[in-house]
Amino acid sequence: MRNNKRSAGKLIKALAASAACIASLTVANPVHAVDFDGERVEWIIPFKEGGGSDTWARFFAPLISENLPGKPAIVVKNIPGGGSTKGANQFQRKAKDNGLNIIGTSGSTQFPYLLGDTRVNYDYKNWTPVLASPTGGVFYVSPELGIKSAAELASLRGKELKYASQGATSLDLVPLLAMDILDIDVQAIFGMKGRGAGRLAFERGEVNVDYQTSSAYLKKVVPLIDEGKVVPIMSWGVLDEDGNLQRDPNFPDLPHFAEVYEMIHGKKPEGTAFKVWKAFFAAGFAAQKGIFLPKGTPQDVIDAWGDAVEKTVKADDFKSRSELVLGDYPQAVKGKAVKAFKAALDISDADRQWVRDWLTSRYNVQL
């Protein structure tokens, strides 16, 4: 019996010594936290300098840098071409999963992906979003058309309406399909280099209907309203947490697209055309821009980026600093960003084929 007690005592002491040894090794060799001190982050923007996505990225870059571990320099690298597919394809091929390579995409990158464009060699399913930036849009007309509000929009049927467009597969797909759903024929004049060019064509009187995203509308179009040169008609709206269209908080006095449809048709919109419109609205506006990390990025690096972006958008002065660049829209981070892009990039094969057929029959677009 005594021998058994002595053996048990020795075993307990040995286990205690082992535990102490393991504890000392753990203290001596702690798990290293993510630290980007002295590093350089390359942020690919697949558009030219000076555009909306470039402005958005250069606004965010120094703010996020301050909140990343080690405060690395974030350098924006512009890789335009192929409607943004060139830069996105390069990111897919070459990006490293160490947290030092990110990409910022826009609706113009998401639309070719949704349409099954043959230029697309990237897959959003391989990337992890840490930020989704929404925006809105406002559709307006020339006062020479003789209407004063959305309630009179149906009276434009049969009139010569012209719209300056970047292309049917750009963000302009949203207004072009919207007019088609409202049974209002609009002649698209393609070849514009951006929405700014389209607005200038409107100001010169070359076209008589137009739309601008929220920030451009607030800065460039509102002054024209005050001069009596623009009649605002509707916003595209925003999506609530259940995916329903609501009025844009930046333009609460303007009806959203679904409200205008109901004004004209006497019923709520439904069917394939509206479902497709809503899908592209989500990809082009509700989650228009996003920051993504490449496939294989470790979870602790993803968390570090998510925390940094969250701190950035929750800073006390963020709203006042961001309003002119981003508008008054809540920024989705971490899990909310993942959810936003999951909804924005979800389209059935049948709906994809429907919109491809529509583009071909309406605008002779071959994808």
Side-chain angles (χ1 to χ4, degrees), residues 32-39 68-72 98 100 300-301 304:
H32 293 289
V34 174
D35 186 4
F36 299 125
D37 184 33
E39 301 285 0
L68 280 171
K71 300 183 179 180
N98 56 7
L100 300 178
D300 59 342
V301 174

Side-chain angles (χ1 to χ4, degrees), residues 227-267:
E227 296 173 17
K229 297 178 179 178
V230 164
V231 179
I233 297 298
M234 63 179 162
S235 78
W236 303 135
V238 296
L239 294 179
D240 63 18
E241 291 185 357
D242 297 321
N244 299 311
L245 274 178
Q246 303 292 338
R247 288 199 174 190
D248 190 315
N250 292 278
F251 318 107
D253 296 331
L254 290 178
H256 58 68
F257 172 63
E259 288 180 286
V260 174
Y261 180 94
E262 193 167 0
M263 286 180 191
I264 292 177
H265 293 284
K267 60 181 181 179

Side-chain angles (χ1 to χ4, degrees), residues 216-230:
Y217 178 82
L218 291 167
K219 286 187 288 186
K220 302 292 186 178
V221 181
V222 168
L224 299 178
I225 296 174
D226 297 335
E227 296 173 17
K229 297 178 179 178
V230 164

Side-chain angles (χ1 to χ4, degrees), residues 69-86:
K71 300 183 179 180
I74 299 179
V75 179
V76 174
K77 182 178 181 180
N78 299 90
I79 307 178
S84 81
T85 61
K86 179 180 177 181

